[in-house]
Amino acid sequence: MVEYGNYKETLTTKMPLTCELKLSFRPLDLMNKWQRCGLTADFISQFETIGQSHIRTKNVLSTAVNELLENAVKFSCDKTQHAHIHITSHETKIRIEVTNHSDKQDADTLKKFLTVFFSKDFDVNTFFIKQVEKGGNVGYGEGSQLGFYTLSHNYQSQLSARITKTESPEIYKITIAIELEKESAYDHKN
Amino acid sequence: MIIKTDEYRIECIDPTRAVIIGSLRLPTPSAYEPHFKPIKDKIEKLRDPYTINITKVSYLNSSGITAFANLIFFAKEHNVPLIMEASKAIPWQEKTMSSLEKLWSHLSIQFI
């Protein structure tokens, strides 16, 4: 098992849980009904912010869930396996975890990217330009890099990941987690 | 030309201006190509600046960011200055459009 960023679920001990939601998907045929990703993201953001006038939180939460879910669907090697979304809401933060299973090649590419992303040498200023110049349509590490970068850089969220071997040497369990500030804290920082 | 789906609408009637509204979450950058083609067709015929209003685009995924970058590169290739009208009220627009602005000196992001 390898972890990147501050993956450990410290929020639950630091801040009382105010709300929790878990969803599982199978089969992962969402590529054929792609709008389900956005529909799920919009549902979760509305569920989490219901009764609140937190428009920014709602928008950022939907954006983040959609991006993570799209990646999980695109890079799941076995569409008959589950993908999981786990959302926990706390006083000032929301944690989103998305888990899927990928093949060794995609897992290795992702590991390489995350190693660079969390290194001191990661060049924030040139990364975005290099990524969009590539034009997209590439593998997990590469295809998801722009999404991870924008979530981390644009929304002041904390990105982390855990990659675990499974019983099959060719299949890896991948969990990407992000922690977002809720609206009051977000607005205060901006 | 107007492209309309349940999620978004792309209005490309004015020769110098397009308006995009809604939620852009297509699966890949190439999936955006047919929808952005009318915009490219207009840019191709221009010398003057072309304006794209995205102030009512509530969501854009990372494939869409790449697709917008491709539009910017297309305008650059044809030497047609590009103006993108955006909104600071929508979280993704402020940061992402500021990042895209670095791609070309003749791309102007106007927050309205």
Side-chain angles (χ1 to χ4, degrees), chain A residues 4-12 14-15 60-61 64-65 68 86 88 90 92-98 113-114 117-118 147-162 175-182 185-186 189:
Chain A
Y4 300 89
N6 185 23
Y7 180 83
K8 297 279 187 301
E9 294 180 60
T10 51
L11 262 183
T12 47
K14 284 181 181 174
M15 263 182 224
V60 171
L61 187 55
V65 170
L68 296 180
H86 184 195
T88 54
H90 306 263
T92 61
K93 289 188 174 185
I94 297 174
R95 180 180 171 95
I96 308 160
E97 276 186 22
V98 175
F113 164 68
L114 291 171
F117 187 79
F118 287 105
F148 293 159
Y149 165 81
T150 51
L151 291 181
S152 177
H153 181 68
N154 290 358
Y155 306 117
Q156 294 86 42
S157 69
Q158 285 186 307
L159 178 77
S160 61
R162 174 184 279 173
T175 302
I176 307 292
I178 63 166
E179 289 179 9
L180 294 165
E181 302 260 1
K182 284 187 179 176
Y186 184 91
K189 284 189 175 179

Side-chain angles (χ1 to χ4, degrees), chain B residues 20-40:
Chain B
I20 306 175
I21 295 166
S23 176
L24 292 173
R25 286 168 160 174
L26 301 182
T28 62
S30 57
Y32 285 86
E33 283 294 319
H35 304 290
F36 284 179
K37 188 173 183 306
I39 295 175
K40 287 185 173 179

